[in-house]
Structures are given as structure tokens and as C-alpha cells.
Amino acid sequence: MVKIVIDGHELQASAGDMIIEVADAADIYIPRFCYHKKLSIAANCRMCLVDVANNGKSLPACATPVVEGMQISTKSAKALYSQRSVMEFLLINHPLDCPICDQGGECELQDLSMGYGWDSSKFTEEKRVVADYNIGPFITTNMTRCIHCTRCIRFGKEIAGVQDLGLINRGDDVEVRTYVDETVKSNLSGNLIDICPVGALNSKPYAFQARSWELKSTASIAPHDCLGANIFLHTREQKIFRVVSKDNQQVNDIWLSDRDRFSYLGIQHSERLPKPYFKESNGWIEKNWHDALTLTSAKLKINIDKYTPKQVAGIISPNSTFEELYLFNKLIRALGTNNIDHRIREQDFSDQEFQPLSPTSMMSADDLQTSDGILIVGSNIGVEQPLLTIDIKSAIGNGAKIYVINPIDHKFNFDIAEKIIVNSALLPQLLAVMGQYDGLPGELANSIVNEARSIFASLANCKKVSIVTGAHLYQHKHASTMRVLLIELQKQLSAKLMYLTQGANSTGAWLAGCIPHRTTAGEIVSSNGLSALDSFKENLQTYILFGIEPELDCLYPGNAMNALKQASLVIVCSPYITEQMLGYADIVLPIATFAETDGTYINLFGSKQKTSPAILPIYDCKPGWEVLRDLGNSLDIAGMEYQSNQEVYQEVTDVLQQTKYSNRSNLNKTTKSLKFVSQSADLNLLLEWPENSVDCITRRSYALQQANTFSKPLAYINPEDADRLSLIDGEQIILVQQVCEFPLTLSVEQYVPKNCLYIPLGIEATSNLTEGKIEIKKC
Amino acid sequence: MIKKQKKYVLPENLQNKIDENLKKYPSDHRQSAILYALRLTQNDNGGWIREQHMRAVADYLKIDYIAVYEVATFYSMLKLKPVGKSLVSVCDNISCKLKGADNLLSFIEEYLQIKTGETTSDGLITLERAECLGACVNAPSMIVNDEYQENLTKDKVQQILDNLSNGDNH
Ligand code: SF4
Ligand code: FES
Ligand code: FES
């Protein structure tokens, strides 16, 4: 520790700290542009010059370490003169266009020139003008405004893990640009808008929409992935204008993924349903809520009487709030059925009895950052949880090594020490080999077995291991086998296990009881109901859907479509109405999106995060919890007379508190027979959701859709398979299943493993895909 | 129909030379070899660097494209546009300027019928201005195809240009 004096205040600091850090901690403000607490030090703007006693020149506070006895003045005549001179210099080429600049009112340059500038400039020459260019759907460029602080460049290198922007040319020709004419690629690029201190990089969808001081700010949660980033929704007169990040060290730090930042564009979309909508003999008609509820419950009762409660299934989106999930559970069970599920992207449920109370990860983001070995199993983590890759990067910064086992060679924005890519059919075997499990079919090539053993050996040498697993695992045909093997592996490595679960609220769904074998708080039901997939395969009579578009949200959308089309009653609670929905639904009840209602989301670390409504529900929509409550009341279900969402929350928390078991996991190899499949000669399907098409809201954000990679109607295969089947890249093909055919374009890619057919779900082209064999036919 | 273009990869002899160069730097500093790799590529491709070459260098060094682009646009020795058979770089910094570099430059422009930065229509000579060549003692100076030409006069320059136009590179 050293003692220093800043502006007359005696302060303690650790030697080596920069003056600016010490001053910040003591709430003494020093002006700055290039310095940013989350980025490396560049010291190129010189705005932070301060007067250090016994030093001839003023020194940059961001790059001057403190030493014992340092006497610093941030406001002496010399300091002020230095700061003003730098300010004048920075403004030489900066345009005076604040009135038409979106940054105006929240611009660091504007603020600092007020606080630390001269009122006029000696510069009378011509200003430099720099051309703007298109870097994608999220960010506008006004490069004449750039002050070359290089924050954006350092952000790319240090946080996003891809350097999109750089400084090209030199001297007074210098410009911040992307490579030649490319757009920015990172899915964290929206943070550039926040990080740029001036109006050079601004939000494109927000361009010229509002002034920052007119906007009202409401804290909320972005419910598109299981992290639940903290956001502020900025609104004016019942319209959402933009989303900015809300600082939360434990969750998203100061960052947001583009998906979280720009999903709001889908909220006020033209497909929003204004009023309850009913199919009648002479077509679709709108109804008021009173009639809608009476009619819905009447129809439901008739159907149940006619076909028994066993013919009812309720399927809810894992992105619903905890309260909605709880009420949905209460409603469906009261109808006399246990066919309830939120696991719309899973197909292997055989271990459900042995699963813990919820799939919450018993670790924190901090654990990930401090691990020295991280094993990623079956996850495209950069797409599933873009923000967690920042934690992984900081782990790497601390010396961690990353190992990957995946069914496809996903590109990551961090360095990988070793990876094994195998056909997804072989993933369970690979895990078994790693965990030294014996009794295997032994189909893996020796080289792969050796690699797996070597990764295991490297991990065994680490002090703190984290295993992260995601969609390629939970979507897998033999997910339960893999879960058992992962737990074995976890024990052997004394590792922490992180489940990247589906949707924003899987934990909430398990706790609330939206699973067919347990109700709220894990209480076992008398007889297991059907899972989402099974209830579709069984072709039941009545379906109640909440917040999902099955043709785009379910793992085998074709199975869902077939079931819904034959059912006699399909009730859909959805914010949107689509052509497809009119084809299978009988009743559509309009519900509010996350921005229009309050609710709770429980993230993968188990933290309960609350939202409050930023705008009123648009048109005649109602918050989901109200719809479920009202439906419950008109069905005369007891105990549904809530006055507020808070009451619902209170009730479910009380039930949870009374629960006797906190964690009932007894998944291990004795409780579950392991299933291994051989890699057959058929093409093995590998399905994935495009990163910006994960739910009904993101699919309707035009900006997100423009940036959506992997959402084109393409089918990807390995070059060897292409040769074997004499197919060529770019060729039109038809995928054939028992009843349906769908045309796609072939893309031949080295990163796809052999015998694999990799296709996107969540897009129209594949919305009829069913479980079962698939063949490629030439056009 | 999406057709992938065949990707240009660095020829093996260049790869070997780059590998050799990389040995000088810590293994996690592969970007250190950008400048060397770009110069090699430039010499290997008729004196200028095409976009695909920048990509190939970045791919080979496993770094982001923009990192290569930054270097390629920074150094005036690296050309991102075609250059003629001969390259004439005339210094116009302080010493040379005092000794009449401006006149020399306009003389050359007139003589070759091109502007600074352009190439003669026969593709033989490209004219450019250069920063101080470190040859101030013998100002005005220029570099022609990697060779210094100093104490320049109009006559001397004319002689040199005539030689170049006659296909004599030195
Ligand atoms: S664009 Fe913004 S962040 Fe990037 S260098 Fe310019 S001023 Fe700094
Ligand atoms: S903030 Fe210190 S030099 Fe830029
Ligand atoms: S100024 Fe021309 S060589 Fe130095």
C-alpha cells in the first residue's frame, strides 16, 4: 500500500494502481475518453492529463501508476490548461452536429467539452470528413465523429473475441473500419454502441427515433436465454425505443448480446393479435374477453367430457415467467391430466425420475471465470449463451485451457486447447471413453479414444474444472445416457457442471411443475403424464399451448403439426397470430410479452430475477398470468382468485419452502441403463436453432433477422458424404420423410462430421420435419 | 445458388519462409509476422497485394482479417493497387522539398503524362510520393525499384525515366 494525495485528499492505494483507478474509487472525477474500466489501457486520447508534483509535464492518469507520496492535482491551473488544450485538439476535426446526433445528451465528448473545454477554438482551417459505411443492421457509422480512442477495437479483441474493427491508414488519414467492406460479425457487437464515447457508432434501429432525455427507463430481464441478462427498456408514450444494458456483476456484467439488445423490435410487430380470436363455422371472429373466457371454458369442458381428461395436453414455452408456469401447472392439473410439459426441444426423457428438482447449475459465473480447465460438451455456447463466452475468455486470460467435444466443429470466439468432433451418434460413446466406463460397443477410432484419454488426463491435472453442456446434449436421442456419463465424469474430475438449459426459465418450469411426472416443488404425481413430444405423437384431442409456435419452436415440428391438425380443440395463448396458427388453432388468446407484464425468471445459476412492465399490454392483450387466472376462474377451479402477480409468486414460493427435498438427484449408472447406438450408414440428423430465431419475439425483430446466420433454407453435409452421394455444393435437394418432402439447398462444409445432415429448425422451410428416417433426393 | 469461390492459399514456399520468420517471435504472437508475410506475398504477386492475399495471410497466421488490413494500409511500401513494372518513389519531405522536390515531381508528372499515384498507360512506370528516405544529405532523392537515386536534377531524372521506359529496370 502507498499513500498519495489527490486534490488534497489523502488516499491509500496499492502500488501499481493507475491514478485514474484510485481517483475513481475515491469519487474524484478525471475526464477520459480512451480509458474504460473493462478494457486494456491505450492512453492515446490524453484527456486524463493531471498535474503530478515534481513532474515537468502533466501525466495521463490512466497510464501513470501511483507511487508513495505522489501529490496529484486534477484541477490545478496546469491540469486544467492541459485538459482544455487536449479538448481543443480533439474537437479540431469533430463536427458540430450535436443537434442531429443520436448520442447528443448522453455523449461523453459533449459533456466533457462543457466541463473541460474552452468556449472557442483557434482552429479555422477545413475539417476532415470521413465516409460512413455499412457495418450491419445494428450499428450506424458516423466516422467523422470518431476521436480514435480505439475503445471499439479493444472491445473486439478483448471482450468479443473477434476483432471486427481496426484502424486503417495512418496519420491524418486514419480511419476506424471493418475489413474491406465486411459487416461486423460478433454477436456482442451492440455493445459498441455503449462503448463508443461519441456518436461515431450508434444504434441503427434507434436512429433519429427519440432523444435520450425524453425516455423513461424500466429495469427488466431479457428472456431469450437461460442467463437472463439485465436490461433497461427505454420507452416513451407506450412505445419501446431501445434496450440498454443494466450492470449486474453476477449475470451480464455491463454487456448484452445482440439478441437481448434488439429483440424489442419484435414486440410491437404487425402480427400482434389485438383481441381474442375464435374459429367459427363461418370463419374467424374477434371476441371480447368476457365472452372469450366463457366460450373457451365451455368448449374445454365439452371436450373433456367427451374424450376424458387424458386427451388433454398443455405445453408451455420455457420462456414463460415463473408465475405463468405455476398457474399453467395449476390449471392443467385441475383439468385432470398430467400431460404437461415445457421441454419442447428434448426427446429422451427416460431419466426424468432421477433428475434433481431442477436443472439449475450448482455454480456461478465466477466459478467459470476461475476454472483452470473447462470442458464444453455438446454446446454451441457462443450462440446459446453469447455472454458466457466473455467469462470463458477471462478464464483463458487467467491461464485456463478449454476443451471441446461437439457433434459439429462450431467456431468459437475463444481459443481452444483441444477438441474432438464426432458424429452426434457417437457422442455417448465418447463420453463413456472419457469417463473410463467399460462395457462399450467400441466403435470409436483408436485415435479418437486416445485424444479423449488425453483430454481427460489434462483435465485431471487441473485444480478447478467446469463442464459446460448445452443444446446438442439435451436435444440428443440419448440425452439421458449422456447425462449419467457426465455426472460420472464430473465426480471423477471433482468438477462443477453447468447446464445451458432451453429457454429463459427451465429452472422455473421444473420448480413450478410444468413436467409430466412431478408437480410443483417436485411432488410426485400418481401417474406420469405424457411429455411434449409424446403428447404430439399420441394425437390427442385437446391441446392448450402457451407462448409457443410449435412449427418453429418444437424439436420435431412436423409431429406437433400433425397432432394439432387432427385435434378437435386447440387453444393457443400467444402474443402473435400467423397463417399457420389459423390452420391448427380453434381459439387464440392474445397475451402480453415480457415487456408488458411483471414476472420472475430463474436463471441457470438459480437466481430469481424480476421484471416490471415497461409499457401497458398493447391492444386488448392481457398478461399471461391474468389469462390463466381468468380461465381458471371461469372453469371454477378453486384457489385461482389472485389479485396480483405478486400473490401468485408468494404462493409458489411458500409451496417451495415447504418442500422436503432440496435436491433429489440420484442419477448414476446403476439407476439407468445406458444406451449406445452405432453410427449407422444413414445420415444422422443434427438440428439447431439459428441464434436469432429462438422464440416468437426474436423471430420478429427485423434487425435480428437481418443478422441471422444459419437461418437460410440450407442443409449442410460433409464433402465426403457429398461425393459418396454425388451431390455438389449449392445444389437443390429434397429431403424426404414418410409423408412430407422439403426442398433445401445443399451446402458442403468441412466442419460437418461424416454421416451427418445438419439443418436449421425454427425456420419455415423445416417446419414439417418429423421424427424418423430422412433421405436426400436429387432435384 | 450459392457457389463457394475457391480460396487462395499461400503457396508452400511462402508458408515455409513465414514459418522460418515466426521462429523469431513468441509462439502466441503470430501477428508479428504480418509485415514479413505481406511483403513476401507482394513480391510473389507482381508487386501488389490483392484482397485474397490479405485473407490468405490472415488465415495462415490464424488472426483476424482486419489485423492484416491495418498493417497493409499503414505502410506505403505495401501496395493495394496494381503498380507498373517500375516504381518511382519521390521524397517530398523537408530537405528534399527545400532542394526542389516539388518541381521535380511536377516535372515527372508532365514527362510521364500521369499524376502522382498513377501508372503510365503502357503499365511501365508508377509514380508516388514518399516520406523522408533518410537520404537528406544528398537531397533531392528518390527510390526507383528499390535503388536509391540521389542528388537529382531534371536531366538525371529524365535519363532514369527513359531507361525505365525502354524496359531497363535498373
Ligand atoms: S468509433 Fe468510437 S469507440 Fe471507436 S475509436 Fe472512434 S470514437 Fe473510439
Ligand atoms: S483516458 Fe487517459 S489517455 Fe485517454
Ligand atoms: S527529406 Fe527527402 S530524404 Fe529526407
Side-chain angles (χ1 to χ4, degrees):
Chain A
M1 286 304 239
V2 294
K3 266 206 196 92
I4 62 164
V5 179
I6 306 183
D7 292 346
H9 302 279
E10 265 200 33
L11 300 170
Q12 291 274 348
S14 347
D17 279 0
M18 299 299 161
I19 296 175
I20 207 166
E21 294 172 293
V22 184
D24 279 353
D27 260 338
I28 300 169
Y29 185 74
I30 297 172
R32 81 280 312 265
F33 290 114
C34 68
Y35 175 77
H36 190 284
K37 62 178 193 286
K38 301 286 176 191
L39 302 175
S40 63
I41 291 166
N44 59 21
C45 75
R46 303 277 138 173
M47 189 63 222
C48 63
L49 290 177
V50 290
D51 180 3
V52 179
N54 303 324
N55 261 286
K57 290 181 186 160
S58 303
L59 297 178
C62 71
T64 309
V66 294
V67 292
E68 179 62 40
M70 217 178 214
Q71 302 270 345
I72 301 151
S73 167
T74 71
K75 294 186 183 68
S76 70
K78 184 165 135 193
L80 289 183
Y81 182 81
S82 308
Q83 291 160 5
R84 292 205 163 120
S85 308
V86 170
M87 196 69 229
E88 183 183 12
F89 189 66
L90 284 170
L91 287 178
I92 278 182
N93 276 315
H94 193 83
L96 287 174
D97 62 348
C98 306
I100 56 148
C101 176
D102 277 320
Q103 191 86 357
E106 52 182 7
C107 174
E108 292 174 50
L109 191 66
Q110 207 178 29
D111 293 349
L112 293 193
S113 94
M114 277 298 288
Y116 301 86
W118 272 305
D119 51 5
S120 66
S121 164
K122 297 185 279 297
F123 186 79
T124 53
E125 291 80 355
E126 213 168 291
K127 286 186 185 244
R128 178 175 104 110
V129 175
V130 184
D132 303 331
Y133 51 99
N134 179 14
I135 59 169
F138 300 137
I139 303 170
T140 56
T141 59
N142 276 285
M143 298 325 282
T144 306
R145 295 181 189 145
C146 171
I147 57 167
H148 310 117
C149 68
T150 69
R151 275 190 192 179
C152 54
I153 297 166
R154 282 173 284 146
F155 168 81
K157 279 192 213 165
E158 294 159 23
I159 307 292
V162 228
Q163 197 193 340
D164 278 318
L165 296 169
L167 275 181
I168 65 153
N169 302 331
R170 103 186 121 142
D172 63 349
D173 286 331
V174 81
E175 268 182 57
V176 167
R177 282 214 69 146
T178 52
Y179 176 71
V180 191
D181 281 323
E182 295 210 330
T183 52
V184 294
K185 299 277 181 296
S186 165
N187 57 5
L188 298 167
S189 69
N191 295 300
L192 292 170
I193 300 164
D194 293 345
I195 215 137
C196 176
V198 302
L201 305 175
N202 268 333
S203 164
K204 199 175 253 184
Y206 171 67
F208 307 127
Q209 300 286 306
R211 298 309 258 165
S212 57
W213 56 87
E214 311 165 330
L215 300 174
K216 183 177 137 239
S217 180
T218 311
S220 188
I221 301 298
H224 310 294
D225 61 34
C226 61
L227 191 63
N230 292 203
I231 56 173
F232 283 116
L233 289 157
H234 283 181
T235 56
R236 190 186 70 194
E237 290 161 11
Q238 302 307 319
K239 181 169 182 301
I240 303 171
F241 279 86
R242 64 174 176 182
V243 164
V244 297
S245 113
K246 177 169 177 254
D247 195 345
N248 185 340
Q249 287 298 317
Q250 269 72 51
V251 182
N252 53 310
D253 201 348
I254 61 166
W255 314 112
L256 282 187
S257 65
D258 291 346
R259 186 167 60 201
D260 293 342
R261 189 183 297 267
F262 296 104
S263 70
Y264 77 92
L265 294 164
I267 289 176
Q268 281 154 332
H269 188 268
S270 60
E271 279 176 349
R272 283 299 292 266
L273 176 64
K275 271 176 176 302
Y277 213 35
F278 278 70
K279 184 150 102 187
E280 307 227 317
S281 48
N282 49 354
W284 284 86
I285 53 160
E286 286 185 350
K287 291 215 185 294
N288 64 35
W289 273 104
H290 179 266
D291 296 352
L293 291 164
T294 331
L295 207 65
T296 308
S297 50
K299 287 206 171 187
L300 202 49
K301 273 187 192 149
I302 296 173
N303 239 46
I304 292 175
D305 285 348
K306 197 160 159 199
Y307 301 107
T308 76
K310 293 236 167 339
Q311 286 290 319
V312 182
I315 295 151
I316 184 165
S317 161
N319 287 3
S320 312
T321 67
F322 191 33
E323 294 83 353
E324 287 164 346
L325 289 157
Y326 176 68
L327 291 181
F328 192 73
N329 172 61
K330 209 166 174 180
L331 181 92
I332 299 292
R333 307 277 180 185
L335 295 177
T337 178
N338 288 322
N339 303 334
I340 177 172
D341 211 350
H342 73 284
R343 299 166 299 175
I344 48 180
R345 295 183 186 171
E346 291 183 39
Q347 55 177 326
D348 178 8
F349 309 99
S350 55
D351 60 344
Q352 61 182 13
E353 316 287 341
F354 310 108
Q355 292 265 6
L357 188 57
S358 73
T360 317
S361 305
M362 295 300 158
M363 60 184 291
S364 65
D366 202 50
D367 284 325
L368 194 60
Q369 284 177 21
T370 52
S371 299
D372 59 345
I374 299 176
L375 174 66
I376 297 172
V377 180
S379 170
N380 189 1
I381 186 167
V383 160
E384 287 176 52
Q385 297 295 336
L387 289 166
L388 286 183
T389 64
I390 300 179
D391 296 323
I392 292 183
K393 276 190 66 94
S394 58
I396 295 175
N398 300 331
K401 292 261 181 308
I402 315 297
Y403 304 90
V404 173
I405 293 183
N406 255 343
I408 193 152
D409 199 357
H410 290 301
K411 211 173 155 198
F412 292 121
N413 56 345
F414 45 81
D415 292 333
I416 290 163
E418 271 175 72
K419 65 182 169 195
I420 307 180
I421 308 300
V422 292
N423 187 295
S424 76
L426 296 176
L427 271 184
Q429 291 194 36
L430 183 57
L431 281 180
V433 165
M434 272 192 100
Q436 331 277 328
Y437 177 78
D438 28 60
L440 267 184
E443 266 193 51
L444 290 172
N446 270 339
S447 59
I448 292 187
V449 170
N450 292 339
E451 280 173 52
R453 301 234 155 101
S454 115
I455 290 184
F456 181 85
S458 313
L459 285 169
N461 278 332
C462 292
K463 286 192 202 64
K464 185 171 179 185
V465 178
S466 294
I467 304 178
V468 184
T469 166
H472 290 312
L473 187 136
Y474 66 68
Q475 280 173 215
H476 199 276
K477 221 189 208 82
H478 297 294
S480 59
T481 295
M482 285 164 67
R483 275 190 283 260
V484 172
L485 291 168
L486 267 189
I487 287 174
E488 281 299 307
L489 204 55
Q490 175 213 0
K491 283 185 200 146
Q492 290 179 27
L493 293 167
S494 319
K496 302 226 175 200
L497 199 47
M498 181 185 273
Y499 294 101
L500 307 181
T501 48
Q502 58 192 312
N505 209 358
S506 269
T507 295
W510 277 79
L511 295 177
C514 289
I515 32 176
H517 60 297
R518 294 177 196 161
T519 174
T520 313
E523 194 174 326
I524 292 168
V525 296
S526 52
S527 68
N528 284 0
L530 298 169
S531 66
L533 183 59
D534 286 338
S535 73
F536 287 132
K537 288 203 283 196
E538 290 288 316
N539 285 334
L540 305 181
Q541 283 300 330
T542 310
Y543 290 94
I544 306 176
L545 308 178
F546 190 96
I548 59 167
E549 298 174 284
E551 66 277 22
L552 301 173
D553 276 325
C554 292
L555 184 59
Y556 292 115
N559 292 84
M561 284 302 94
N562 295 341
L564 294 173
K565 281 182 186 145
Q566 62 76 47
S568 55
L569 180 62
V570 176
I571 302 169
V572 186
C573 300
S574 160
Y576 306 98
I577 183 101
T578 60
E579 275 304 311
Q580 286 88 330
M581 213 177 266
L582 293 178
Y584 58 74
D586 298 286
I587 298 173
V588 190
L589 303 174
I591 54 172
T593 63
F594 74 95
E596 302 147 87
T597 171
D598 53 348
T600 311
Y601 296 91
I602 309 180
N603 78 0
L604 78 163
F605 304 125
S607 60
K608 298 195 173 77
Q609 309 196 89
K610 288 194 175 286
T611 64
S612 33
I615 52 173
L616 296 170
I618 65 173
Y619 311 122
D620 240 358
C621 287
K622 278 190 184 209
W625 75 269
E626 279 185 35
V627 174
L628 293 168
R629 172 199 64 185
D630 296 350
L631 208 51
N633 286 330
S634 69
L635 284 161
D636 299 322
I637 297 171
M640 294 281 266
E641 301 86 7
Y642 307 95
Q643 297 299 319
S644 70
N645 208 18
Q646 184 53 34
E647 274 177 35
V648 183
Y649 181 76
Q650 200 48 55
E651 185 175 307
V652 54
T653 330
D654 288 347
V655 179
L656 277 171
Q657 256 152 22
Q658 288 151 18
T659 166
K660 288 168 283 307
Y661 27 78
S662 61
N663 200 327
R664 62 153 93 221
S665 173
N666 49 7
L667 258 189
N668 60 49
K669 53 184 173 189
T670 51
T671 57
K672 168 81 185 65
S673 65
L674 302 186
K675 285 208 187 97
F676 298 99
V677 266
S678 317
Q679 178 174 328
S680 63
D682 296 334
L683 288 175
N684 197 2
L685 261 189
L686 185 67
L687 305 168
E688 195 178 328
W689 267 265
E691 69 172 317
N692 294 337
S693 294
V694 292
D695 56 31
C696 56
I697 301 174
T698 50
R699 282 193 289 266
R700 288 179 174 81
S701 159
Y702 71 88
L704 284 179
Q705 289 315 310
Q706 282 168 25
N708 217 2
T709 47
F710 192 59
S711 61
K712 302 195 181 68
L714 294 177
Y716 302 81
I717 62 168
N718 180 277
E720 280 187 37
D721 290 327
D723 282 350
R724 183 167 57 86
L725 300 165
S726 32
L727 295 167
I728 51 164
D729 188 48
E731 181 173 0
Q732 284 293 327
I733 52 159
I734 298 177
L735 296 184
V736 190
Q737 286 194 308
Q738 299 115 334
V739 277
C740 64
E741 301 196 335
F742 29 103
L744 293 171
T745 307
L746 196 76
S747 181
V748 178
E749 298 288 354
Q750 199 63 52
Y751 60 74
V752 182
K754 267 184 277 175
N755 276 328
C756 173
L757 180 64
Y758 177 52
I759 54 180
L761 284 182
I763 63 170
E764 211 192 315
T766 53
S767 62
N768 278 324
L769 186 94
T770 56
E771 192 184 19
K773 229 170 113 102
I774 196 159
E775 268 163 35
I776 298 185
K777 208 168 80 181
K778 279 167 104 64
C779 245
Chain B
M1 211 57 159
I2 15 133
K3 274 262 135 261
K4 274 172 222 100
Q5 275 191 356
K6 217 165 152 15
K7 219 162 99 181
Y8 169 85
V9 274
L10 293 181
E12 207 173 323
N13 63 329
L14 297 197
Q15 290 187 2
N16 294 340
K17 284 187 188 162
I18 295 171
D19 287 345
E20 214 35 56
N21 186 262
L22 276 169
K23 286 188 191 145
K24 292 196 207 158
Y25 309 109
S27 58
D28 56 342
H29 280 57
R30 293 178 66 87
Q31 70 269 32
S32 311
I34 297 178
L35 190 54
Y36 178 77
L38 282 175
R39 292 198 63 167
L40 278 185
T41 325
Q42 170 161 299
N43 294 341
D44 202 49
N45 288 287
W48 68 289
I49 299 165
R50 290 153 192 82
E51 205 255 329
Q52 56 175 1
H53 300 143
M54 290 193 280
R55 276 179 197 268
V57 166
D59 285 340
Y60 190 70
L61 294 177
K62 300 195 185 72
I63 50 177
D64 290 308
Y65 295 148
I66 181 72
V68 173
Y69 194 42
E70 286 182 316
V71 174
T73 52
F74 186 89
Y75 291 100
S76 52
M77 300 85 96
L78 298 174
K79 310 286 171 212
L80 297 180
K81 276 195 234 132
V83 288
K85 207 159 161 221
S86 300
L87 180 62
V88 177
S89 319
V90 183
C91 172
D92 71 347
N93 281 189
I94 185 77
S95 309
C96 294
K97 204 163 222 154
L98 290 170
K99 299 278 272 176
D102 285 347
N103 288 339
L104 215 52
L105 210 51
S106 25
F107 166 72
I108 303 176
E109 286 186 339
E110 210 168 295
Y111 192 71
L112 295 177
Q113 291 289 301
I114 53 172
K115 292 213 187 61
T116 308
E118 292 178 352
T119 304
T120 52
S121 53
D122 55 7
L124 284 181
I125 305 173
T126 298
L127 173 65
E128 65 171 12
R129 52 166 291 272
E131 308 295 336
C132 176
L133 304 173
C136 314
V137 263
N138 297 325
S141 355
M142 64 181 188
I143 295 182
V144 177
N145 296 331
D146 292 337
E147 269 179 32
Y148 275 76
Q149 302 290 349
E150 302 167 2
N151 293 319
L152 296 174
T153 59
K154 276 187 190 166
D155 287 349
K156 199 165 169 189
V157 169
Q158 188 173 343
Q159 183 62 47
I160 295 168
L161 296 179
D162 287 346
N163 285 346
L164 294 178
S165 302
N166 294 334
D168 178 0
N169 270 4
H170 289 284

